[in-house]
Amino acid sequence: MKNKGMTIIVKTITRITVWLILVYGIYIILHGHLTPGGGFPGGVIIALAFLNVLLAQGREFTKNWLKMNLLHDLEATSAILYLIVGILGISFTGYFLSNFLPKGKLFNLISAGTIPVLNIIIGLKVCAGLFFVLWSLAIFHLASKEEEK
Amino acid sequence: MPVETWLIFTLIFMIIGSIVALEIKNLLSAIISIGVVGLGTSVCFLFLQAPDLAIVQFLFEIFALIILIRAYLKAEYHEMDKKSENKLVTFIAIVVLAGVLVLSLDMFGALPEFGNPIMETANHYVEKGNAAKETNSANLVASIILDYRAYDTLGEITVLFTAILGTLTILRIKTGSQKEESDEE
Amino acid sequence: MIVYILCFILFLVGVYGVLTKKDLIKIILALSIMEYSANLFLILFAYKSGGGMPILSKGEKIQGMVDPLPQALVLTSIVIELGITAMLVAFAIRLYQKYETFDITKIRRLSG
């Protein structure tokens, strides 16, 4: 993956389509309790949107646009947030990871207790983790090429 | 046409695709043929009325293809040594596996008939909309993985975290400069 | 029953690939074939004739559904298999950088 990215036609189009892919990914995460989907496929879609930026615009642009430290912290704290939701379940009812938020009406967007909350946590974690795998593969290629010279 | 006919057709297609993927010499074509097998299972999941799984399988298959194509650098790195090719091992492997298949044909008679599952635990979730009443979510599979069995999802996140941690540790670069360092976890 | 046997044949094709191939990437491909067939086999158990998707929609009566429990377990399995594939590919890239070949017979003979 060269540092400059692709031609100018690709750069102009991805500037528009990246936001569409992001909106689609967030839609699948948020409606996880109403339609098929949930946290896992939504996280992969958002990671693929970031990969789109990385391929089309190059490494330098992505490093300035996406803050790597923020993604790093997001992945680490998502696991702890899941445990905090579980421990809050112990404090409200007696059981770990119980559904303690008010349940609401069927087919509403805000319903089903902790299920949308857990979906969002899982989506953030999967997205950050998978994007880091792709980023380190991109950086590794650069380093091995430099050693060969 | 009944579902079983569609499934037999798709499975035969996948078997042919997998044999092509293993035997072809050009590695890029082999990776694309694995995509056939993965997308074939996604179509099979759709026939078996599991849309949640079809979406997940499709997306993770595309991600695996992207990572595999990244590992393929040039065609000349994959020319194998002709001397170490062993036709005897291939022949013995095929014979043994065919023997395993023939001997285990009897076992498939003991499985429940296709289309008649033993739903002991799931009867509680499906009958009379019990899962919809207790958790108030319309997606039964989401309510199972995030309410009835949320502890298993915690284990799954831990395994994914550990695997990604291992991947990032292996791809670490040791350079002197601070500029091109891979991500540390 | 023919469907179960075909799924088992797909699994055996994967086992053949792991046993006899010498290229590291082909071994990873054969492992992927094995994991697809294992997940498919579990979902074949859960199909009920004439059943519908396990998702309720507005205004429709609840009819007979397929078994939702194996679907939840196979979802976990698919996610974990991606982690395994990512780690194997990282291994392959690292091994190539150290030994300059993808052939597993050569990797055994050189010492590092």
Side-chain angles (χ1 to χ4, degrees):
Chain A
M1 293 177 217
K2 297 196 193 65
N3 221 355
K4 289 214 182 54
M6 299 191 171
T7 63
I8 193 161
I9 300 180
V10 178
K11 280 187 189 170
T12 315
I13 295 291
T14 53
R15 225 177 275 161
I16 305 175
T17 57
V18 157
W19 302 108
L20 294 175
I21 302 177
L22 271 177
V23 163
Y24 184 59
I26 295 177
Y27 161 76
I28 287 206
I29 294 182
L30 283 181
H31 286 250
H33 55 289
L34 299 172
T35 56
F40 294 104
V44 175
I45 291 176
I46 297 183
L48 287 178
F50 290 158
L51 173 68
N52 201 358
V53 172
L54 174 65
L55 282 177
Q57 307 276 358
R59 250 185 316 258
E60 284 296 325
F61 182 83
T62 318
K63 212 191 280 191
N64 299 333
W65 188 66
L66 279 173
K67 306 178 181 34
M68 290 300 164
N69 287 332
L70 183 65
L71 276 182
H72 183 111
D73 294 337
L74 209 65
E75 180 183 7
T77 54
S78 293
I80 299 183
L81 274 177
Y82 197 97
L83 288 175
I84 288 179
V85 168
I87 295 180
L88 279 178
I90 293 186
S91 68
F92 276 86
T93 49
Y95 308 107
F96 186 60
L97 280 170
S98 73
N99 205 342
F100 60 92
L101 287 177
K103 293 221 173 56
K105 220 166 54 141
L106 196 54
F107 298 122
N108 268 357
L109 187 54
I110 305 181
S111 61
T114 55
I115 291 184
V117 176
L118 289 178
N119 262 333
I120 295 175
I121 292 176
I122 291 175
L124 289 175
K125 176 163 190 34
V126 168
C127 149
L130 290 183
F131 180 69
F132 271 132
V133 169
L134 292 168
W135 176 255
S136 70
L137 279 174
I139 297 271
F140 191 76
H141 186 66
L142 168 74
S144 62
K145 255 200 170 154
E146 270 195 2
E147 280 171 14
E148 274 170 31
K149 280 184 196 161
Chain B
M1 277 171 30
V3 169
E4 203 165 333
T5 318
W6 284 115
L7 280 176
I8 291 177
F9 177 66
T10 314
L11 273 169
I12 291 179
F13 192 55
M14 278 160 55
I15 291 176
I16 295 177
S18 63
I19 294 180
V20 162
L22 288 179
E23 293 296 331
I24 205 167
K25 291 267 187 313
N26 185 9
L27 208 67
L28 203 54
S29 314
I31 294 176
I32 295 177
S33 301
I34 279 291
V36 165
V37 179
L39 296 184
T41 60
S42 178
V43 165
C44 283
F45 286 154
L46 273 181
F47 280 131
L48 293 169
Q49 312 281 337
D52 217 337
L53 281 181
I55 293 179
V56 173
Q57 165 74 27
F58 179 70
L59 285 169
F60 281 97
E61 158 75 30
I62 288 182
F63 200 86
L65 273 184
I66 291 176
I67 295 184
L68 277 171
I69 287 189
R70 171 62 187 87
Y72 167 75
L73 299 166
K74 276 189 212 172
E76 62 207 22
Y77 296 160
H78 291 273
E79 284 175 4
M80 297 290 120
D81 196 7
K82 280 292 184 190
K83 265 184 295 193
S84 56
E85 220 175 278
N86 209 345
K87 292 238 162 44
L88 187 62
V89 171
T90 314
F91 182 65
I92 290 181
I94 295 182
V95 165
V96 165
L97 289 176
V100 163
L101 177 66
V102 166
L103 287 176
S104 66
L105 275 179
D106 217 1
M107 180 187 74
F108 289 109
L111 293 173
E113 195 191 320
F114 180 67
N116 250 340
I118 314 172
M119 287 167 58
E120 278 194 31
T121 318
N123 263 331
H124 172 72
Y125 298 143
V126 168
E127 257 176 23
K128 290 187 270 187
N130 267 339
K133 278 198 204 106
E134 288 172 13
T135 60
N136 244 339
S137 89
N139 191 354
L140 284 188
V141 177
S143 81
I144 288 180
I145 62 170
L146 290 175
D147 194 1
Y148 288 114
R149 309 229 169 180
Y151 200 55
D152 296 339
T153 310
L154 178 66
E156 168 184 5
I157 293 184
T158 309
V159 171
L160 190 66
F161 184 61
T162 312
I164 290 181
L165 199 65
T167 308
L168 292 178
T169 309
I170 292 175
L171 293 175
R172 187 187 287 257
I173 317 167
K174 293 196 183 89
T175 54
S177 64
Q178 288 284 351
K179 255 197 288 184
E180 308 275 295
E181 239 178 7
S182 80
D183 249 318
E184 290 184 344
E185 275 274 324
Chain C
M1 197 173 105
I2 301 183
V3 217
Y4 295 142
I5 296 177
L6 283 177
C7 203
F8 191 57
I9 291 179
L10 189 64
F11 184 80
L12 288 180
V13 169
V15 175
Y16 159 76
V18 173
L19 286 178
T20 58
K21 292 295 166 191
K22 287 191 193 35
D23 196 349
L24 205 53
I25 305 287
K26 290 241 167 117
I27 296 180
I28 299 178
L29 295 182
L31 273 170
S32 295
I33 295 177
M34 280 164 65
E35 59 198 30
Y36 295 146
S37 91
N39 293 334
L40 189 61
F41 195 63
L42 277 175
I43 298 296
L44 281 176
F45 273 132
Y47 179 66
K48 189 168 183 177
S49 303
M53 295 187 251
I55 300 193
L56 305 170
S57 7
K58 218 178 226 185
E60 268 190 25
K61 286 211 205 104
I62 299 174
Q63 48 172 359
M65 286 183 195
V66 296
D67 200 350
L69 195 57
Q71 293 184 16
L73 302 176
V74 166
L75 202 113
T76 303
S77 169
I78 293 178
V79 174
I80 293 178
E81 314 269 340
L82 177 78
I84 293 178
T85 307
M87 199 153 184
L88 285 175
V89 167
F91 269 137
I93 294 180
R94 203 54 159 156
L95 276 176
Y96 177 73
Q97 199 197 29
K98 198 170 169 61
Y99 288 103
E100 316 258 320
T101 177
F102 273 113
D103 195 348
I104 56 171
T105 51
K106 295 269 176 4
I107 294 179
R108 240 182 280 152
R109 291 203 199 119
L110 293 173
S111 69

